[in-house]
Amino acid sequence: MSPPTPAIGTIRVFDTPATLAESGAKFLCDRAERSRGRFVVNLSGGSTPKRLYEALAVPTLLKRFPWDRTHFVFGDERFVPPDDPDSNAHMATEALFARAPVPPDNIHRVPTVGVTPEQAAEEYQRTLVWLYGGDVLVPDRPLFDVTFLGVGDDGHTASLIPGQPVLHERTRWVAPVAHGRPEVRITMTYPALESSRAVVFLLTGEGKRAILDRLLSGDDTVPAGKLRPHGETLWFADRAAAGRWAG
Ligand code: 6PG
């Protein structure tokens, strides 16, 4: 029997987390190579994305990737110092930036030192407005070329955490999330995340099977299920997470 069709987007299933990471890195490299001008990648935190960033830092891709014209931003960040092991920017630095020739000015970290969470969100929004070249998002001119997102067991994505007021934010592009996690988070909101040419959700392991099944079935009661990207939606899952969707 052929596998069911996702309610939104397309699913690609890989045998293992390692093959998913390699294919995800190649996917990004292909998109970047085919693009013209500035290429903007929106990074996520989490363990699955980390493997993909490491997979980008291999000799073949290091050589091919247009590092000079690629900019990196973060879909969410924990409000901790930049060298804290919980910092998403720290993770990306270890996995990718320390190994790839990314111009330092092309890495846009969420400020977390010497500012309040509210100021950090405002400052980061200004960075995004600068990158976009305007403060009104136009559907056919996305803010990001590729947005990578993880999904938690509770259906959160980026730091769009169930029950938090940020889920209703339609004006700001970036907002602080003061509750729901041990530390304050700074997250992009739906309007910003949706302004992507491609959103790629990354899920691996059996623990993600139930939430992935709900999302692919069209469950829009959890934060990840409410996202409606203007461009493509892709689900990259390993066999363990894909379950019945693997075919
Ligand atoms: C973070 C995130 C978060 C993450 C999911 C999935 O900073 O933690 O951006 O949304 O992507 O919790 O994380 P895993 O891939 O580690 O399960």
Side-chain angles (χ1 to χ4, degrees):
M1 216 170 61
S2 56
T5 308
I8 293 179
T10 310
I11 181 168
R12 295 197 195 162
V13 181
F14 303 93
D15 283 337
T16 64
T19 52
L20 183 152
E22 280 163 27
S23 301
K26 284 198 195 105
F27 165 89
L28 186 69
C29 192
D30 290 346
R31 292 277 164 132
E33 276 186 315
R34 273 194 266 137
S35 69
R36 292 281 161 267
R38 183 184 285 167
F39 186 74
V40 185
V41 185
N42 188 3
L43 301 176
S44 152
S47 51
T48 312
K50 182 173 186 209
R51 296 187 78 137
L52 190 154
Y53 309 154
E54 287 167 345
L56 261 178
V58 297
T60 45
L61 299 187
L62 283 175
K63 227 189 292 161
R64 273 176 53 196
F65 199 91
W67 300 106
D68 283 353
R69 59 182 180 85
T70 300
H71 286 248
F72 294 92
V73 299
F74 291 86
D76 76 326
E77 185 55 283
R78 291 134 205 245
F79 201 67
V80 296
D83 55 354
D84 190 295
D86 282 343
S87 154
N88 287 341
H90 177 73
M91 179 276 269
T93 301
E94 287 204 318
L96 178 62
F97 303 145
R99 309 171 189 196
V102 187
D105 288 349
N106 292 12
I107 303 169
H108 306 281
R109 297 177 173 86
V110 177
T112 57
V113 175
V115 286
T116 63
E118 195 61 51
Q119 289 166 338
E122 283 168 15
E123 208 175 294
Y124 207 53
Q125 173 153 339
R126 280 197 292 277
T127 300
L128 298 182
V129 166
W130 173 81
L131 264 177
Y132 189 60
D135 60 4
V136 178
L137 293 169
V138 181
D140 60 5
R141 191 168 75 81
L143 177 52
F144 310 119
D145 289 287
V146 175
T147 291
F148 287 114
L149 288 171
V151 180
D153 307 347
D154 59 355
H156 80 263
T157 191
S159 287
L160 298 173
I161 293 166
Q164 297 305 308
V166 69
L167 300 184
H168 306 289
E169 179 63 59
R170 301 299 314 181
T171 308
R172 287 187 289 178
W173 299 3
V174 186
V177 181
H179 302 286
R181 286 297 180 270
E183 70 290 305
V184 172
R185 304 281 183 102
I186 308 294
T187 190
M188 288 185 194
T189 59
Y190 284 114
L193 293 169
E194 287 170 347
S195 185
S196 302
R197 216 173 283 287
V199 167
V200 186
F201 285 103
L202 305 167
L203 296 97
T204 57
E206 212 181 319
K208 297 283 161 100
R209 189 180 292 179
I211 189 66
L212 180 61
D213 189 34
R214 285 174 62 183
L215 292 167
L216 294 175
S217 305
D219 182 345
D220 62 0
T221 63
V222 293
K226 295 183 201 297
L227 194 79
R228 293 287 175 270
H230 298 310
E232 286 172 273
T233 301
L234 296 159
W235 307 89
F236 281 18
D238 69 351
R239 244 167 228 294
R244 70 188 180 103
W245 300 85

